[in-house]
Amino acid sequence: KQWYQRRVRGPEIGYVQGMSDLLIPLFTVIRVESEIFWCFDTVMNRSAFSQGEYCNLHHQLAFLREVIGLFLPGIYRYLSTTGDALSLTCCHRWFLLLFKREYSLSDLLPLWDTLLSAPSPFFQVFISAAMISHSFPALVKANCSATDILMRCQTMSGNFNVQQVLRTARGMYRELLNRSEIPCSLRPLVGQQNSWHGYKTPVFKCFECKKGIRCDQ
């Protein structure tokens, strides 16, 4: 029934395998059907299933590549010279299912709570970058191929410390905001000003719009 109602609100999105993964945790903790529906609608709008601007998997992976380049240059260099590793195929599931299969339910709920309340409309990009910062150094040290990276990422479920990941993700977001100039291509990642921003107004500069996203400067 929840899926049918969501289909009425968003008829352009047909059922895709994996959407039930986003619904199951809500049924586990919420008992009021109307609240389940609106929470499911919100989660769907944050996932790569959404038809919203910049929400598709292509754009979100492009944002992630750029964030890795800014904050994890060593990992970025390794991925860029290791087959097609920089395509970040290993992260597809993270964006489609919002990390549902990477964390236990007890860890997933605070992660979703932070994700949905964060000022950035794409905070999942920073969560993904944080997960990479904690897990990929070992893969780089082992000189893993692109295929090895993909296979190892499939076995990382349950091995992330959610509080550590969220702390790192928040730190990356604040560090981006505190840069003297933020690449205009990352403008969609910057949300409404609130306590996360402090009192600093972000300054954007065009460093070549690499992803085909229009520069508003």
Side-chain angles (χ1 to χ4, degrees), residues 41-52:
D41 188 68
T42 299
V43 169
M44 281 286 293
N45 287 333
R46 279 296 186 100
S47 77
F49 291 122
S50 172
Q51 299 297 302

Side-chain angles (χ1 to χ4, degrees), residues 2 19-33 35-44 100 105 108-109 112 116:
Q2 299 299 327
M19 288 181 176
S20 57
D21 283 77
L22 299 177
L23 186 57
I24 290 172
L26 304 178
F27 271 113
T28 304
V29 298
I30 302 174
R31 295 292 178 262
V32 180
E33 191 169 334
E35 292 180 0
I36 293 174
F37 166 73
W38 288 113
C39 287
F40 179 52
D41 188 68
T42 299
V43 169
M44 281 286 293
K100 192 268 182 181
L105 180 62
L108 181 67
L109 295 178
W112 275 11
L116 297 176

Side-chain angles (χ1 to χ4, degrees), residues 67-107:
V67 168
I68 293 172
L70 284 176
F71 298 114
L72 307 169
I75 292 176
Y76 183 91
R77 285 193 297 272
Y78 182 82
L79 295 178
S80 65
T81 58
T82 307
D84 65 346
L86 199 57
S87 66
L88 299 176
T89 303
C90 56
C91 303
H92 284 194
R93 187 172 75 184
W94 301 356
F95 288 101
L96 289 170
L97 303 182
L98 293 181
F99 316 105
K100 192 268 182 181
R101 296 188 185 178
E102 321 315 316
Y103 295 90
S104 66
L105 180 62
S106 61
D107 284 342

